[in-house]
């Protein structure tokens, strides 16, 4: 999606800030928020997708892309306050058609896709498509022995589309889709460019050494399945359009270096927190001979900033320690939606449409934080 969005003025996209499905689209200054409803409608072959987490994966063999700016609710319904992304995929024709594309790049990066479209008699046709992407990533985890686990990824998807026509006026469009993504998450590596705060904070960001020494493998997994059926029937002066969609997206992540500070762990509510903090400071990157991401002066003693503003504990990329807490996040969502519309097709002075829409969302989100002692496998 970010490829064609970059070609559109006034439209920006942010993907993968935390996980692969974390996609936020901004059209003319209006955007959505994480774990909230999108303000941009995603419409694929006339069906509204209610979960834009699937934008990081191919939606089939694309044949047309439209990005519509401004409110589009009159035509596309909910989630269209900022605009709409309208995609059209390949429909089967009366001749056999197919294609294959394979590319390879540095860091063991593969990108492959294939499709076949075939007629099934005179009244039906089938399209099957798939894609596969893999990359070891550009950065290495020094602490884990130059492991290629900082920005690696692998994904694949399979799409099927069956078109059946009964006579000249009625068409059935049935689609199935399954996709998976597996990769890294949250490869944070901070640098400061704040000259007014003196040498402790100043760094030329263009010369920042991107050293990664997270002691916990950060992972991100996503699986998605959806199925839909759409029926179109043409009357003399109007057209009936009806569709139903089932969508199931599961995603989770394990991240290192995300808990910011250990004040929560040394409170009275966490009696074991102080021991974790002490073990953490006994296992610093400096003690183990690893380079320190600046500003290394921050996080020098195991107390919160509120008690020692000059060098209290802030962990992750801002300190000289490999221990910084661990975070687990879960985001699952199942959708059932349906729409029925009557649309005028005549040449009269008035164009009209009337319809109804149904949606049921079953969404589960969760976040869990834990202490990290700084060893390669030690998490509490």
């Amino acid at each position: 999606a970010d490829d064609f969005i970059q070609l559109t003025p006034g439209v920006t996209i942010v993907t993968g800030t935390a996980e692969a499905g974390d996609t936020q689209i901004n059209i003319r200054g209006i955007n959505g928020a994480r774990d909230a409803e999108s303000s941009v409608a995603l419409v694929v072959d006339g069906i509204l997708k209610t979960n834009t987490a699937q934008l990081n994966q191919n939606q089939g063999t694309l044949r047309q892309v439209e990005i519509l700016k401004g409110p589009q609710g009159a035509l596309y319904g909910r989630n269209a306050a900022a605009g709409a992304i309208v995609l059209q995929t390949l429909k089967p024709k009366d001749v056999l058609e197919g294609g294959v594309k394979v590319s390879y790049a540095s860091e063991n990066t593969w990108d492959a896709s294939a499709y076949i479209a075939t007629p099934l008699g005179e009244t039906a046709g089938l399209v099957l498509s798939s894609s596969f992407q893999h990359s070891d990533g550009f950065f290495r985890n020094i602490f884990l022995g130059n492991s290629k686990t900082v920005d690696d990824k692998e994904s694949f998807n399979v799409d099927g589309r069956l078109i059946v026509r009964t006579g000249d006026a009625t068409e059935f469009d049935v689609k199935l889709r399954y996709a998976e993504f597996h990769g890294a998450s949250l490869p944070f590596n901070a640098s400061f460019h704040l000259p007014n705060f003196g040498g402790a904070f100043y760094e030329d960001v263009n010369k920042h050494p991107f050293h990664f020494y997270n002691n916990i493998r950060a992972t991100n997994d996503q699986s998605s399945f959806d199925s839909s059926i759409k029926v179109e029937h043409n009357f003399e002066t109007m057209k009936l359009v009806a569709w139903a969609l089932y969508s199931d997206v599961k995603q989770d992540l394990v991240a290192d270096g995300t808990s910011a500070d250990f004040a929560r762990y040394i409170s009275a509510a966490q009696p074991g927190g102080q021991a974790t903090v002490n073990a953490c400071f006994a296992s610093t990157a400096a003690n183990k001979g690893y380079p320190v991401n600046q500003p290394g002066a921050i996080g020098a003693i195991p107390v919160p900033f509120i008690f020692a503003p000059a060098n209290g504990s802030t962990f992750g990329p801002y300190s000289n320690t490999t221990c910084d807490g661990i975070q687990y996040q879960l985001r699952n969502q199942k959708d059932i939606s349906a729409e029925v519309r009557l649309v005028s097709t005549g040449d009269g002075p008035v164009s009209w449409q009337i319809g109804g829409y149904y949606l049921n969302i079953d969404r589960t989100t969760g976040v869990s934080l834990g202490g990290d002692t700084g060893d390669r496998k030690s998490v509490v």
Side-chain angles (χ1 to χ4, degrees):
D2 47 356
D3 288 338
F4 57 76
I5 285 179
Q6 289 176 6
L7 302 175
T8 310
V11 182
T12 59
I13 184 172
V14 177
T15 59
T17 56
E19 55 192 328
D22 186 12
T23 302
Q24 299 176 25
I25 303 171
N26 182 304
I27 297 182
R28 292 177 174 174
I30 302 177
N31 64 352
R34 195 178 185 198
D35 294 331
E37 293 300 311
S38 173
S39 60
V40 178
L42 172 62
V43 183
V44 182
D45 294 323
I47 296 178
L48 174 65
K49 297 290 188 74
T50 53
N51 193 341
T52 56
Q54 301 180 50
L55 260 179
N56 66 307
Q57 300 165 346
N58 291 340
Q59 297 294 317
T61 304
L62 289 181
R63 283 297 176 263
Q64 180 174 300
V65 177
E66 296 177 85
I67 299 181
L68 308 178
K69 304 177 185 178
Q72 305 293 327
L75 295 179
Y76 297 107
R78 71 190 304 274
N79 296 121
I85 297 177
V86 183
L87 308 178
Q88 299 291 339
T89 68
L90 177 68
K91 295 181 69 172
K93 304 175 184 177
D94 55 359
V95 295
L96 179 65
E97 178 183 351
V100 176
K101 182 180 72 174
V102 179
S103 64
Y104 177 79
S106 60
E107 310 303 334
N108 196 27
T109 300
W110 290 89
D111 190 342
S113 61
Y115 78 93
I116 183 171
T118 180
L120 301 175
E122 296 182 354
T123 60
L126 176 67
V127 178
L128 294 175
S129 63
S130 65
S131 66
F132 172 81
Q133 294 85 33
H134 172 89
S135 178
D136 288 346
F138 292 93
F139 298 103
R140 302 292 179 265
N141 189 318
I142 302 172
F143 189 73
L144 298 181
N146 268 347
S147 174
K148 300 177 180 179
T149 60
V150 177
D151 57 342
D152 60 309
K153 66 176 182 179
E154 182 172 293
S155 65
F156 74 89
N157 68 278
V158 179
D159 295 84
R161 186 179 190 184
L162 175 66
I163 303 291
V164 179
R165 301 176 183 87
T166 57
D168 297 331
T170 306
E171 178 182 279
F172 293 86
D173 187 349
V174 181
K175 299 179 67 178
L176 292 173
R177 178 178 180 277
Y178 180 77
E180 288 188 10
F181 175 94
H182 305 282
S185 67
L186 296 178
F188 290 160
N189 197 278
S191 60
F192 283 78
H193 193 94
L194 300 172
N196 292 335
F197 285 85
F201 285 89
Y202 177 70
E203 181 185 14
D204 186 344
V205 294
N206 296 313
K207 297 180 180 180
H208 175 71
F210 284 93
H211 298 301
F212 292 90
Y213 39 83
N214 304 73
N215 62 310
I216 296 171
R217 159 73 159 141
T219 61
N220 180 201
D221 298 289
Q222 180 192 75
S223 65
S224 63
F225 170 80
D226 57 59
S227 60
S228 64
I229 181 171
K230 185 174 70 169
V231 181
E232 294 187 3
H233 180 80
N234 288 303
F235 299 98
E236 290 186 2
T237 59
M238 68 185 72
K239 180 171 71 172
L240 171 68
V241 180
W243 57 260
L245 168 70
Y246 171 77
S247 172
D248 184 2
V249 180
K250 297 182 175 68
Q251 50 191 1
D252 60 36
L253 69 85
V254 174
D256 192 22
T258 58
S259 57
D261 67 72
F262 265 74
R264 72 198 79 189
Y265 294 115
I266 61 176
S267 65
Q270 299 286 342
Q274 186 62 62
T276 302
V277 173
N278 293 339
C280 181
F281 269 89
S283 176
T284 62
N287 293 338
K288 293 180 178 293
Y290 293 93
V292 177
N293 291 324
Q294 295 298 321
I298 298 180
I301 60 176
V303 296
F305 262 124
I306 189 173
F307 300 115
N311 53 5
S313 63
T314 294
F315 287 80
Y318 312 105
S319 68
N320 58 342
T321 178
T322 57
C323 53
D324 43 26
I326 183 173
Q327 180 172 329
Y328 173 76
Q329 296 183 10
L330 174 73
R331 285 175 172 80
N332 297 338
Q333 180 172 320
K334 294 181 181 180
D335 304 333
I336 299 176
S337 56
E339 183 181 75
V340 178
R341 279 186 293 131
L342 275 175
V343 183
S344 63
T345 58
D347 298 329
V350 177
S351 297
W352 55 268
Q353 67 173 342
I354 185 173
Y357 177 74
Y358 169 82
L359 171 64
N360 179 273
I361 295 179
D362 182 2
R363 179 184 296 154
T364 301
T365 62
V367 176
S368 175
L369 297 177
D372 175 11
T373 63
D375 297 327
R376 296 183 185 222
K377 298 181 180 178
S378 182
V379 178
V380 295

